[in-house]
Amino acid sequence: MSHKILLIPGDGIGPEIVNEAQKVLDSVAKLNGGAIEYTYGLLGGCSIDATGVPLHEETLAKAQDSDAILLGAVGGPKWDNLEHSAKPEQGLLQIRSALELFSNLRPAILFPQLAEASSLKSEVVSGLDILIVRELTGGIYFGQPRGIHINDAGEREGFNTYRYCESEIKRIGRSAFEMARKRDNRLCSVDKANVLEATVLWREVMRSLTAEYPDVELTHMYVDNAAMQLVRDPKQFDVLVTGNMFGDILSDCAAMLTGSIGMLPSASLDKNGHGMYEPVHGTAPDIVGQGIANPLATILSVAMMLRYSLNEPTWADQIEVAVSSALDQGLRTADIYSAGTTKVSTPKMGAAVVSALSQ
Ligand code: IPM
Ligand code: MG
């Protein structure tokens, strides 16, 4: 079975980590007698440099024509001074929106080997396995009106709009309930319903979905409390569902529970399971070109891609076992290094996963 993958390495450390993930994908395909066909696309800063825009229609067409998309990261200091609407990050937001990738799955799983790398006590995080389901194509990220204008008092004023319609809340809600069903049947919906009307509706709609999912236990939590609970007792959660901005913030927070943001994969899916896969971390401009970035979040994103879009769950399991085996050997990139382990480069970590695959 051949799968057609669009690779978008992007900016910063993106090309370094996508390169390793590609080697792992090729190896797992070979191991199982499958084949991968690649196309390549530009997004973000490199796309601005080559085409003048952060998302060129050619990349979008390739994305629509592929079985799945693997993305590194976009953005960087080189493009920081561009006007807001021309920045690399806009390309990412545009591709998510154009492909209707409304359901963003961000699992935070602690590999037991990394309990010591977390900034939290190991008893607080050991065994951690939670899933954040973030709404990705609506909310304040996309709400109109937005902008910076001169207000009636003659002063500059910035404004954004936090809005969600019922159908948007329902579809992300259903995604999250379905995920909870495959796990421990517990879903916590995160909102700010004590202040924001948009999330009063969010809470109501989530509650109405319990009629369709009577087997899933639904609870609600305000976002400020959820941030606190994530660092106080993260294991109380199974699946969290929340809007675009809260999900952005909480998922970075959850990432650190696992030792390093360099370990966190993600999937962004449309209603048919077509999707884009990317590490949660960004372009890490401070370490670009040094060969020290952690490729594991991208490699684990490949595993998610195989499971959710390509229907190759066995290959996904094999990759996750291989990652665990590389960690068992004591191999660590700088971000997860601790005394008594062996510090390795980006390509060494990729090669260790590849070699563990065939063991
Ligand atoms: C993420 C990132 C993006 C977001 C940025 C780069 C636009 O932080 O994927 O979490 O805010 O969604
Ligand atoms: Mg983010």
Side-chain angles (χ1 to χ4, degrees):
M1 176 79 183
S2 171
H3 302 291
K4 195 166 170 186
I5 306 299
L6 171 63
L7 287 183
I8 306 183
D11 308 316
I13 59 169
E16 298 170 52
I17 53 180
V18 167
N19 197 17
E20 299 312 313
Q22 182 178 8
K23 288 182 200 157
V24 171
L25 180 55
D26 280 335
S27 304
V28 83
K30 199 165 157 209
L31 188 70
N32 293 283
I36 309 286
E37 189 192 324
Y38 295 101
T39 50
Y40 297 85
L42 297 172
L43 185 73
C46 56
S47 174
I48 294 173
D49 290 349
T51 72
V53 288
L55 170 62
H56 192 269
E57 56 194 26
E58 194 183 311
T59 299
L60 190 56
K62 284 180 183 167
Q64 276 151 345
D65 188 42
S66 65
D67 297 325
I69 305 149
L70 183 67
L71 169 67
V74 299
K78 181 175 174 195
W79 305 280
D80 273 353
N81 294 327
L82 290 177
E83 195 196 317
H84 179 76
S85 63
K87 286 203 166 130
E89 289 78 1
Q90 293 301 321
L92 182 57
L93 298 173
Q94 285 163 12
I95 197 171
R96 287 172 177 172
S97 178
L99 299 175
E100 290 186 73
L101 307 175
F102 67 91
S103 179
N104 183 213
L105 312 179
R106 299 189 159 187
I109 296 169
L110 180 81
F111 281 89
Q113 302 92 327
L114 298 182
E116 294 305 316
S118 174
S119 51
L120 273 76
K121 292 196 196 94
S122 64
E123 67 260 30
V124 174
V125 291
S126 70
L128 182 79
D129 179 354
I130 63 178
L131 174 67
I132 297 184
V133 180
R134 168 188 177 194
E135 200 292 324
L136 201 61
T137 53
I140 197 166
Y141 270 51
F142 292 93
Q144 296 288 345
R146 62 191 299 159
I148 302 174
H149 70 173
I150 308 288
N151 68 13
D152 293 343
E155 192 188 2
R156 283 203 308 154
E157 180 179 58
F159 57 100
N160 290 88
T161 307
Y162 192 140
R163 58 197 311 156
Y164 270 119
C165 60
E166 204 165 347
S167 57
E168 283 178 298
I169 305 171
K170 269 202 180 129
R171 66 178 184 177
I172 191 65
R174 289 199 176 106
S175 263
F177 273 101
E178 296 289 341
M179 284 294 150
R181 252 188 192 163
K182 294 193 186 120
R183 296 170 46 102
D184 197 28
N185 284 299
R186 290 182 298 119
L187 177 63
C188 178
S189 168
V190 175
D191 61 41
K192 189 71 186 171
N194 50 345
V195 179
L196 305 174
E197 285 82 355
T199 69
V200 171
L201 180 67
W202 177 280
R203 191 176 278 223
E204 265 176 46
V205 174
M206 286 295 163
R207 196 175 284 135
S208 74
L209 288 174
T210 55
E212 290 172 39
Y213 301 91
D215 48 322
V216 176
E217 178 199 276
L218 175 72
T219 53
H220 306 272
M221 200 177 272
Y222 297 140
V223 64
D224 48 350
N225 187 23
M228 179 174 74
Q229 296 300 332
L230 269 176
V231 288
R232 193 188 72 89
D233 175 23
K235 284 187 274 180
Q236 70 184 280
F237 297 113
D238 177 25
V239 180
L240 292 135
V241 62
T242 191
N244 207 340
M245 182 168 62
F246 297 161
D248 178 45
I249 299 166
L250 294 180
S251 59
D252 267 30
C253 185
M256 272 324 286
L257 306 173
T258 69
S260 166
I261 198 167
M263 294 299 296
L264 236 77
S266 79
S268 307
L269 304 175
D270 73 5
K271 62 179 193 309
N272 303 315
H274 182 245
M276 183 162 82
Y277 296 81
E278 54 178 308
V280 169
H281 63 71
T283 51
D286 52 324
I287 59 165
V288 176
Q290 297 178 32
I292 60 170
N294 187 347
L296 294 180
T298 316
I299 291 170
L300 292 167
S301 298
V302 170
M304 289 189 88
M305 177 168 96
L306 291 165
R307 188 169 286 128
Y308 292 113
S309 288
L310 305 181
N311 198 23
E312 301 285 6
T314 315
W315 303 16
D317 291 345
Q318 288 166 343
I319 291 180
E320 284 162 358
V321 169
V323 166
S324 191
S325 152
L327 294 172
D328 278 340
Q329 294 161 41
L331 306 179
R332 304 282 187 272
T333 41
D335 57 311
I336 49 175
Y337 174 78
S338 60
T341 62
T342 310
K343 203 181 277 183
V344 295
S345 65
T346 310
K348 279 248 164 62
M349 185 60 106
V353 176
V354 167
S355 87
L357 269 175
S358 49
Q359 248 88 124

